[in-house]
Amino acid sequence: MADENMEVEIARLDERLKSIERMLTDIVASQKEAINARRRGYEAQERTEREMIGINHRLTSVEKSVEAIRPTTVELERVRDRVVFAGSLGKALWGAGKILIAAAAGAAGAYYSITGRPPP
């Protein structure tokens, strides 16, 4: 009976040890999985950081390009304003020219109708 109790106790201890071994195996597997997940997270973070650095460099280049063309843009605005003014001045002069030609034609017509001869 004592041998039988001892065998039962040994069997119970063996089962407990197997259970502990399975738990340790599960813990090791979950630790490996956690290590891999952290590694993937760090890699993704590094990729994002590299992309952000690239975007920052590109934005800096765009800002420099915009600053480089700013004098050209200012000059273009100045030229545009001059063209608009010249267009308005041209319209006004064209209108004055039409009035002057109409007045000259009216004067020539009046001279012809009064004297009967063409204007000199």
Side-chain angles (χ1 to χ4, degrees):
M1 178 113 173
D3 270 345
E4 201 173 295
N5 280 339
M6 189 62 102
E7 286 180 23
V8 170
E9 285 295 320
I10 291 174
R12 284 183 189 162
L13 282 174
D14 192 40
E15 283 299 314
R16 285 183 186 166
L17 287 175
K18 286 180 183 177
S19 172
I20 291 172
E21 185 179 353
R22 283 191 299 269
M23 286 175 26
L24 287 174
T25 303
D26 290 344
I27 290 171
V28 168
S30 67
Q31 289 294 323
K32 286 181 182 178
E33 186 178 319
I35 288 169
N36 288 335
R38 278 194 301 274
R39 181 177 40 82
R40 286 191 304 269
Y42 291 141
E43 289 170 354
Q45 182 180 4
E46 287 175 2
R47 273 194 312 273
T48 303
E49 184 179 359
R50 284 192 300 272
E51 288 175 6
M52 292 288 288
I53 289 169
I55 289 170
N56 192 16
H57 286 299
R58 289 176 63 193
L59 181 59
T60 302
S61 325
V62 168
E63 287 173 344
K64 286 179 182 176
S65 296
V66 168
E67 285 300 318
I69 65 169
R70 186 172 306 277
T72 306
T73 306
V74 169
E75 183 64 27
L76 178 64
E77 289 173 354
R78 208 175 293 138
V79 168
R80 185 195 63 208
D81 292 342
R82 288 179 187 163
V83 167
V84 168
F85 175 73
S88 301
L89 182 63
K91 284 181 185 177
L93 290 176
W94 187 256
K98 287 193 295 188
I99 291 171
L100 187 61
I101 290 174
Y111 182 81
Y112 183 73
S113 65
I114 292 174
T115 61
R117 296 178 288 156

